[in-house]
Each structure stands twice: as C-alpha cells, then as structure tokens.
Amino acid sequence: MSSNFSITEENYIKAIYHLQQATGSVTTNELSASLLTKPASVTDMLKKLKVKKLLHYEPYKVFYLTAEGKKIALNIIRRHRLWEFFLVEKLAFGWDEVHEVAEELEHVGSKKLVDKLDSYLDFPKFDPHGDPIPDVNGKMSIVQQVNLTELPLNKLAQVTMVGSQSTELLELLSHKDITIGTKLEVKKKFSFDKSVEVKVKNLAPVNISEQLAKVLFVKPV
Amino acid sequence: MSSNFSITEENYIKAIYHLQQATGSVTTNELSASLLTKPASVTDMLKKLKVKKLLHYEPYKVFYLTAEGKKIALNIIRRHRLWEFFLVEKLAFGWDEVHEVAEELEHVGSKKLVDKLDSYLDFPKFDPHGDPIPDVNGKMSIVQQVNLTELPLNKLAQVTMVGSQSTELLELLSHKDITIGTKLEVKKKFSFDKSVEVKVKNLAPVNISEQLAKVLFVKPV
DNA sequence: AATTTTTTTTAGATTTGTCTAAAAAATATT
DNA sequence: AATATTTTTTAGACAAATCTAAAAAAAATT
C-alpha cells in the first residue's frame, strides 16, 4: 500500500500544492510554467488527478487539491525535506547543493524508510533552507518569520528561510556569507532603490538589493 | 553527466550482469524470466542496449555486456549494496527487509551522493548479505567462501553470503537463528537426503536440508 | 455589445516500455 | 536428413506522458 503514484504524478501534486499556497488555487498556465511543460500536457494530467480524486477540477476553471491530494503532497514534501536534512547533516552536502538530489530521493515511497529516516535524524522540524518538515501525520511547525524588508532597524534576527532554490541566488548568498541561521541586523534602509544595509556578525556592513531582501526571511531573536 | 539511463534500462543492465556471472552470457528467455517480462519485450531492449554500445548482441545469439555495460552494471550494484548497508547499519532495518527499498534507492544516480554515502559509511566492503560492494572504480573484494555443502566436518566457519533474497528463505533462516556472520560447524552429513547437521554457537544442533545448504556460503575462520 | 486577445482544451502524433500473435531461426527428435 | 519443438524475433497494438496545431471558452478591450 505504498505510494501508488508515478513520479510524474507526484511532481504535479507537489507543484500544485506549492502554487496553491499563495492564493488557494492554481491555473493551467501557472502549473505548466512551474513544471516546464506545455499547457496541453497539464490538462491531460489534471483530468487524471481528478479521476483519482486528488484534485478539484472543472474544465476552464481554476483547480486545487482535495484533502486526499493535500495529504499526499505533504508526504512528498516530508520526504523531500527529510532527505535534504540528511544530505546536509550526515553527508556534509552544502545546503545549496541538496535540492536536485532530494528531488530524486523524494520519490522513494517506502513509509518504513521515511519514518526510520525521520527517527534516525531525530525528528527534525526544519530543513536546511528553513522550511518546516511535515511530521508523520502531515503536521508542520510554523515559524513566526518576517520578510527581511519588514524587519525593523537595529533588531537582531536570524535567517530562517530562503524563498527560492535557484543556483544564482544561492551563489550570491554564499558570496555574501549569508546562510540559514546567520544572525544579522538591518542598519539602514535606502528609499531610492529599496536596498538595505545589513550588518552580519562583526563584519563590515553589506548592501542587500530589494530583489534579494524579498526572498530572505528572518526570525527576530 | 550523471546516469543517462532510464530505470528500466538500469534494471535490464543489472539483470544481465548477474545472469552472465554464471556462464559468461545470457539468453533472451533467461532474462525475460528474471525480469518477469515477455521475451518480445526483452528483444526490444536488447536492440536498444546494443545501439548504446552496452551490449554485445546479434539476433538469435546469446548476448553479454560490453566493458562499458559492465562498468555501468557495477555502478548500479555499488549503489544498491551501499544503500543496503546504510539501511541496516544506520536505519536499523533487518537485513532481510532491505532489498526492495534498495531496489528503488539504487536508481538515484548522483555520483556525489553515492561517493559521500560511501565515505559516510566508512567505505564498507560487504553488504548485509555478504555480497561485495564495488568501490568507486568498480573493484570489489573477493571472499574465499565455499558452499556449506563443501565445508568439511568440524571446521568452524562464518556465514558470509546467502544466495537468494526470497522472503521464504529469509524467514527460514531467521527461524533457525542463522544470519550473516553466524559462526557454525558441520557436525554430520547424511547421504540419504544430503542434509547436514550444523551446530550454531552453543545451541542444540539443527538440521539443514540440501536445498538450504546450497544457498548458504561460509568462510572458514 | 462586439471584437480581439489570452487561456484552456481537444485532436492527433511521438516516445518508451510493454503486450499478443504470428513468423523465422535454431535446436532437438525421430 | 527430415520433421517437430523450442527459442527468438517481428509486426502491430496499447498505456503513460509528452508534444504541436487547431478549436473552444473566458477575459480583456474597444
């Protein structure tokens, strides 16, 4: 009674889950952009997922996961984030190198494997990017995190999450020596370009562009 | 430049490798039996593997892997056996429960993952069934093991390998309290049914049928 | 409100891996 | 050596997941 879903189906379910987090529903074009497939291919899969009762979908309407679909999505996300944690914690991967590998490992469905891995890792609550890991029942912690652009001046905070996994972003962060857990303070905000000056540890202040600040989430400490 | 081969192709390559260990080559029927597919499906894949230069194959002839094909097979086997070791050693799986899960994990191709896993496990030389694990160059240790039927009387030996992974076999072994590493001595051989009486540790001697003895391999200590 | 544009779906084709049924080749038997 | 049997391959079909091109529906614009 393991997974029952193909890797492709799992990838659709996961993508729909993530996209519907924003507005509660998803459109065909959004999903096709997210998966790098054509809208026609998406339509085919939507019909399939509807038949399997994982998706609320009517032609030409927006769609969203059923309770069952959400449950499955959370399980896939659980697997993905547990593996990311494992790769960083045990195998000494950099936290910016784990995403692709976890994309593959997440499709190994054995419940026994996942639960034993969870236990071996001591039931971690957050993955290396600061995203919460669903527990065996699909529940996950919520962080009271704010976007770096909303952090008040001179308030010490810790980076908890990075809102994208692109290599370009991770390269930039690594250059600026910012990672999950980094403690920082916003020293100045520039209204001209909405960039912020941030002090990391005792180093010289660095400037963070609006684009970058928008994907950095922090938790006041 | 990772794996480049589909899961199906990898399964064919692995099965051919194992089958050709016996006689140096494989027939279509043997392979179809081993993979639980029809001979016609096998023929299709053979042509594909030949095009990819992984297989020496001419219609109606026996076939065998090229050097390149063997290299790929060894890499798949490396992944499989490393994961089996991980599951038993780190996740506390029973050695008789790991095969199916490893069948899935073995298809995650990332070289970095596999090499880091190898290092994390401290470069194990044998998997939990006693099978040698190919190293990063495809080399593996050879055990000077003999079949239990060939072990001389009263010679202390250690179980190194079990020549099958069937649940039925593993259940029987577990009942007789025999596992990889178990030390035993053959006390008597019965010519009538070719069964042997074996003393395990200080327990009362147990009788092992010819069929069972044939799949048990031991190394004199 | 009518028209244009965008979005989504349908129709039909392609690739991968599978199948069945029939043909061809190799092997075994008489 | 001729015939029968077994093995293997070919031919054609099917399911999953994709695509392109065209049609239909919805949304935006005039």
Side-chain angles (χ1 to χ4, degrees), chain A residues 126 132 140-145:
Chain A
F126 299 96
M140 41 185 174
S141 309
I142 5 155
V143 244
Q144 45 333 0
Q145 58 189 7

Side-chain angles (χ1 to χ4, degrees), chain B residues 21-40:
Chain B
Q21 286 300 90
T23 58
S25 61
V26 188
T27 70
T28 302
N29 264 0
E30 278 166 17
L31 186 51
S32 94
S34 160
L35 291 169
L36 306 177
T37 61
K38 301 294 162 180

